[in-house]
Amino acid sequence: MKKTNTRRPQGLPTKDELVRFLRDAGEAEKSDIARAFGLKGQERRQLRDMLRELEGEGKLGKRGRKGFSEAGALPPAGVADVVERDADGDLYVRLVKAGSDAPLARLAPDRNEKAAGAPGLGDRLLVRFERVGDAVEARLIKKLGQSAHRILGVIRKSKREIRVEPVDRKAKDVLLISEHEARDRDLKDGDIVLAELAGRPTRYGPKPGRILEVVGREDQPRAASLIAVHSHGLPTGFSEAAEAEAAAAQPPTLKGREDLRKIPLITIDPADARDHDDAVYAEPDDDPKNKGGWIVWVAIADVAAYVRVGSALDREAKDKGNSTYFPDRVEPMLPHALSSNLCSLREGEDRACLAVRMVFDKQGKKTGHTFVRGLMRSAAKVSYEQAQAAIDGQPDDTTGPILDPILKPLWAAYRTMLVGRERRSPLAIETLERKIKLNEAGEVVSIEPRRSLEAHRLIEEMMIQANVSAAETLEQKKSPLIYRVHDAPSQEKIFNLADFLGTIGLRWNKGEPPKTARFNELLDQTRDGPHGDIVNEVVLRTQMQAIYSPDNVGHFGLNLDRYAHFTSPIRRYADLIVHRGLIRALGLGSDGLTDKEISQLEAISEHIVMTERRSMAAERDANDRYVAAFLADRTGAMFTGRITGVTRFGLFVRLDETGADGLVPVRDLGDEFFIHDDRAHALVGQRTGKRWTLGRMVDVRLLEATPITGGLLFEMISEPAPADPNAPRPRLGVRDRAGPPRGKHRPGGPKPGKAGAKKGKRR
């Protein structure tokens, strides 16, 4: 825990003063205590006696390397297991070495950009303990993997024993289950179970365990999302109280609302969308002072009207933080009675909304905006593909009647807004997303690239401008809010980028402040050349991660001074907070942001950052498992891919066909040692100088696909690139050395064993 710098009175302390000192200090040696109180000679001997008495009274902990601490006190840092979750969704950890009698500490939500995913129940963490008032909080330093205290795994039966093998690729602990318990629970090979450590573990071999719950089967088509939900501790379902509140919700009326039903707002969403939380409309501005300008309406579902502060719905929405999306299911933030009904802007039905009317000039600059709390009626529900096809000259029965009066004005307004966007120059990194398609049985039938349409960009830009308007209004009203912030790249990341660009003959001034326009210039310069993909990848890795915060640092990626999430309150708690802020600031009702919420904005921000990371990690893990299941019957097949990660232990390759990521172990890359040149993102042969570099296209063979963990293992087919005569040969350090295992590529040497399929981190 952090040590206090509070000045203390000199002289021998009382016992209570001594305990308070140790509570603040965390741990202290006798000499430190004596120095703090200015004790000398006889007073030091009296201090020694006092410490012995306090130990005898049980008020001091056992002496450690650093001396004395208050009984039950936690060290400044340590390894802890996540063992509990309270009704508010807060996680609690217990120090591993202290056993079951150790006090619990609340885990403060993590805002560390480098944290490896959001923690969940059963995770083992390295944490720092800090005193906050009278309580102690744990702050994440590093996620160490899944704890043996509680483990999600698969039953593996053999003639000799029954094991629980973890589904987490990072976990190393295997639990041994007794035959008696296996019979009582009718455990079968392939059962997915939640288990915990039982009794004292042996020094070697598997640890004894007991089954807490059988959660499914590994051969079920939908096992991937089931495992992700449990392994990341995602809250699922809703309490009876929350369901009852949702069921009791009534359709909206005009009371306290402006009638917007004559405005032909429409929803444009994915074809398979179940909820529709935003609608748009555009028309030319008839103000003669704004010739060539446009009026753009963005209406958002008024979730705040149904999810009231302090209700069961509110508590559980906050606990979840956001909806989580898997290929086969959605874990919604709100019950379906709201998310798919009263809060969904259904075609032809009256719906409560919070809408913003924005005015743009002919140069695409927003010159003003107004928020209203209204009652709307969607004029049409169309998909992105339908809207795009209509604009491209292929309208259907739905889009034909609205093409001229609604769709064409929307596109004309967007193209005007695009002038302003291009002048702003947001970061133009290219990313390729893929959609996993399942059949009715839940089996993967295809993995296809998501098409990027102009219709997507139209909705994106209109939502961005609505989000900016929300932040501007709340700032103008001096109302606290939760911003969506994206910090500029750190100096360290910029230096690393400059070093890398130097290895491919490109220049970047390290003293130049990072600007999106400069990044875009680099991307445009290299996009069509041999280094386009690798530069795009490295620029992406140079960026920080966006978070929620009550403190505004702007949004670097969008190149905006202020930005808040307003447009998706059905699926993001941050947006609901912003809605409540607008309602309070503009006097639009009695259900706005409360004083208590305002006092908790920092804690709420930290919590929803954690839930967002948790959902992202769960979604990524589920997708990895679905992809591994899809490729499992193609073992031995050859694929083309791109090197997306270079490490000391191997290369990560992303397949062109499916976007799947897998590992080529360094031992399979040739008959020499390789040096990891992190500056050039390359593995360089120590003897020949041959190179494996980030971004290079390669051919690989699939060796292993493990659906239960999502791991893929590849064999490299391509040859390394020749040595670069102009590149300096990197020096070999202890952390840089890589190479084949003992015996590999030596005459008569043993064949290499199979490596565990690992996978690179994605940002």
Side-chain angles (χ1 to χ4, degrees):
M1 283 175 282
K2 289 183 177 179
K3 293 187 177 182
T4 180
N5 292 320
T6 303
R7 191 177 185 87
R8 295 184 177 275
Q10 300 296 289
L12 187 69
T14 65
K15 287 184 177 179
D16 288 343
E17 287 173 337
L18 181 53
V19 170
R20 282 198 297 271
F21 171 81
L22 290 171
R23 182 181 304 151
D24 291 338
E27 287 181 336
E29 295 179 358
K30 186 174 67 174
S31 59
D32 294 330
I33 301 170
R35 190 178 305 111
F37 288 97
L39 306 182
K40 297 180 180 179
Q42 180 64 27
E43 288 179 327
R44 288 199 172 211
R45 287 188 287 273
Q46 290 176 302
L47 173 65
R48 180 190 61 195
D49 294 338
M50 188 182 295
L51 289 167
R52 287 176 178 172
E53 290 174 12
L54 287 170
E55 279 189 292
E57 294 168 8
K59 294 182 179 179
L60 295 189
K62 294 180 179 180
R63 299 186 189 192
R65 290 171 55 195
K66 293 189 177 181
F68 299 91
S69 64
E70 183 185 13
L74 294 166
V79 176
D81 287 336
V82 182
V83 295
E84 285 189 16
R85 183 195 302 278
D86 67 12
D88 294 326
D90 289 332
L91 298 173
Y92 287 82
V93 302
R94 177 179 285 127
L95 198 63
V96 171
K97 69 177 182 180
S100 60
D101 294 332
L104 297 181
R106 174 182 174 270
L107 180 65
D110 173 49
R111 292 175 63 181
N112 179 6
E113 182 268 330
K114 295 182 180 179
L121 281 173
D123 281 342
R124 178 158 288 180
L125 316 172
L126 178 62
V127 297
R128 180 177 67 255
F129 293 104
E130 294 182 0
R131 182 166 292 280
V132 180
D134 294 330
V136 175
E137 281 191 345
R139 294 193 174 272
L140 179 65
I141 298 174
K142 184 179 182 182
K143 188 175 176 182
L144 302 177
Q146 201 174 53
S147 163
H149 174 82
R150 186 167 291 186
I151 183 173
L152 185 70
V154 181
I155 293 292
R156 298 299 184 206
K157 285 188 170 184
S158 68
K159 293 181 179 179
R160 298 178 57 188
E161 58 192 13
I162 302 165
R163 296 187 175 204
V164 178
E165 296 186 354
V167 299
D168 184 356
R169 295 195 292 273
K170 298 177 184 176
K172 298 179 181 178
D173 292 317
V174 174
L175 299 185
L176 195 61
I177 305 300
S178 70
E179 291 187 8
H180 174 73
E181 183 175 11
R183 281 196 307 271
D184 286 349
R185 289 185 169 270
D186 192 25
L187 295 178
K188 299 179 177 61
D189 193 75
D191 281 345
I192 302 171
V193 298
L194 189 64
E196 69 175 357
L197 189 66
R200 299 187 63 179
T202 58
R203 186 171 181 181
Y204 302 104
K207 301 174 181 179
R210 70 169 62 91
I211 303 300
L212 298 175
E213 182 184 357
V214 178
V215 299
R217 293 278 308 164
E218 69 169 329
D219 54 5
Q220 291 175 335
R222 303 180 191 276
S225 59
L226 180 70
I227 292 171
V229 165
H230 281 80
S231 60
H232 291 278
L234 284 174
T236 57
F238 299 92
S239 67
E240 291 184 6
E243 291 282 10
E245 289 175 2
Q250 297 296 313
T253 67
L254 265 176
K255 185 178 179 180
R257 300 184 179 279
E258 186 172 326
D259 194 347
L260 305 178
R261 289 175 292 184
K262 292 183 180 180
I263 300 175
L265 292 147
I266 67 168
T267 61
I268 305 177
D269 290 296
D272 57 356
R274 297 180 181 178
D275 55 67
H276 311 278
D277 52 10
D278 58 80
V280 293
Y281 174 72
E283 62 184 355
D285 190 357
D286 58 8
D287 185 346
K289 296 180 180 179
N290 190 29
K291 189 175 181 180
W294 288 87
I295 306 295
V296 175
W297 282 88
V298 173
I300 307 298
D302 188 0
V303 175
Y306 298 100
V307 182
R308 301 299 182 96
V309 177
S311 65
L313 280 170
D314 185 47
R315 288 194 302 272
E316 294 177 31
K318 179 183 174 184
D319 184 22
K320 293 188 174 187
N322 46 261
S323 298
T324 306
Y325 296 85
F326 301 111
D328 65 316
R329 55 176 289 189
V330 176
E331 186 54 50
M333 188 180 81
L334 300 175
H336 289 296
L338 294 181
S339 62
S340 301
N341 189 3
L342 283 181
C343 290
S344 183
L345 307 181
R346 290 182 173 181
E347 180 180 357
E349 298 184 21
D350 289 355
R351 286 293 181 262
C353 69
L354 196 58
V356 58
R357 177 185 183 272
M358 299 177 288
V359 182
F360 294 88
D361 65 18
K362 63 181 180 181
Q363 297 301 319
K365 179 183 178 182
K366 182 166 69 68
T367 60
H369 65 266
T370 307
F371 282 92
V372 298
R373 206 169 190 184
L375 186 71
M376 63 159 285
R377 183 183 296 160
S378 173
K381 179 189 79 169
V382 299
S383 69
Y384 288 113
E385 291 76 14
Q386 282 180 294
Q388 190 66 57
I391 289 296
D392 292 341
Q394 297 176 311
D396 58 21
D397 292 342
T398 299
T399 56
I402 64 172
L403 178 58
D404 289 327
I406 299 176
L407 291 177
K408 286 184 177 180
L410 275 172
W411 252 260
Y414 163 65
R415 284 165 183 158
T416 299
M417 295 167 71
L418 199 57
V419 176
R421 177 185 174 91
E422 290 173 349
R423 185 170 59 249
R424 192 176 81 239
S425 189
L427 201 56
I429 296 174
E430 294 181 352
T431 58
L432 178 61
E433 296 182 5
R434 285 177 167 80
K435 182 178 177 62
I436 297 174
K437 290 190 174 183
L438 309 179
N439 60 20
E440 292 184 359
E443 300 165 330
V444 182
V445 294
S446 66
I447 302 174
E448 302 172 357
R450 291 183 184 271
R451 295 178 62 196
S452 179
L453 304 173
E454 191 177 37
H456 291 106
R457 297 188 287 276
L458 178 150
I459 294 298
E460 178 189 29
E461 185 60 22
M462 290 183 176
M463 296 305 113
I464 287 173
Q465 293 300 330
N467 288 335
V468 170
S469 298
E472 289 176 346
T473 293
L474 289 170
E475 280 194 358
Q476 290 163 4
K477 295 294 182 179
K478 301 188 184 306
S479 174
L481 72 148
I482 291 178
Y483 294 92
R484 181 66 167 179
V485 298
H486 181 220
D487 210 349
S490 65
Q491 187 179 56
E492 179 186 5
K493 290 193 172 192
I494 290 296
F495 280 16
N496 290 339
L497 172 67
D499 286 342
F500 162 71
L501 292 175
T503 67
I504 57 174
L506 297 173
R507 195 165 183 272
W508 185 290
N509 184 355
K510 291 184 178 181
E512 181 181 355
K515 294 182 179 179
T516 55
R518 178 66 181 91
F519 280 113
N520 290 340
E521 178 187 345
L522 171 65
L523 293 168
D524 290 340
Q525 176 186 354
T526 58
R527 183 164 284 121
D528 297 325
H531 302 300
D533 290 305
I534 184 174
V535 169
N536 188 83
E537 186 78 23
V538 174
V539 169
L540 176 61
R541 296 181 186 194
T542 302
Q543 307 308 309
M544 308 295 281
Q545 282 190 320
I547 63 170
Y548 295 105
S549 174
D551 301 318
N552 184 29
V553 298
H555 197 294
F556 179 80
L558 295 174
N559 201 12
L560 293 167
D561 293 331
R562 55 195 58 81
Y563 192 65
H565 272 168
F566 159 76
T567 54
S568 296
I570 289 178
R571 61 185 179 90
R572 292 189 306 224
Y573 195 78
D575 303 56
L576 178 56
I577 292 291
V578 170
H579 275 232
R580 289 173 178 164
L582 289 166
I583 291 167
R584 172 173 171 149
L586 298 173
L588 298 177
S590 60
D591 47 357
L593 202 62
T594 64
D595 291 341
K596 182 178 180 181
E597 285 180 294
I598 290 174
S599 70
Q600 297 175 340
L601 285 184
E602 183 171 0
I604 292 172
S605 298
E606 290 181 341
H607 172 73
I608 57 181
V609 168
M610 180 277 289
T611 61
E612 179 183 46
R613 302 279 175 86
R614 177 178 66 191
S615 291
M616 290 170 61
E619 291 167 353
R620 182 173 60 245
D621 285 359
N623 287 344
D624 289 346
R625 290 184 172 95
Y626 273 117
V627 169
F630 181 64
L631 294 174
D633 60 355
R634 299 182 66 182
T635 301
M638 289 180 57
F639 298 90
T640 298
R642 186 180 301 277
I643 297 174
T644 57
V646 180
T647 71
R648 287 176 288 111
F649 53 85
L651 304 171
F652 291 105
V653 175
R654 181 170 301 154
L655 304 185
D656 288 348
E657 181 181 328
T658 60
D661 293 283
L663 174 70
V664 180
V666 69
R667 68 183 183 204
D668 293 332
L669 293 179
D671 57 353
E672 65 177 315
F673 284 102
F674 283 85
I675 301 170
H676 179 218
D677 184 350
D678 57 354
R679 182 169 170 265
H681 296 276
L683 285 178
V684 183
Q686 184 181 10
R687 177 171 51 82
T688 65
K690 292 182 178 179
R691 308 166 67 86
W692 298 101
T693 55
L694 187 72
R696 182 186 160 190
M697 296 297 298
V698 293
D699 293 323
V700 294
R701 178 179 290 111
L702 178 62
L703 294 182
E704 294 179 12
T706 313
I708 201 64
T709 64
L712 299 176
L713 187 66
F714 297 135
E715 177 187 16
M716 182 63 72
I717 303 300
S718 300
E719 293 295 325
D724 183 352
N726 299 317
R729 191 71 61 87
R731 290 182 297 176
L732 182 65
V734 174
R735 293 177 55 82
D736 300 318
R737 186 162 181 158
R742 293 184 181 91
K744 175 70 173 174
H745 299 297
R746 297 175 186 170
K751 294 180 180 179
K754 292 183 179 180
K758 297 182 179 179
K759 184 173 179 295
K761 297 176 184 176
R762 293 201 301 253
R763 291 186 181 271

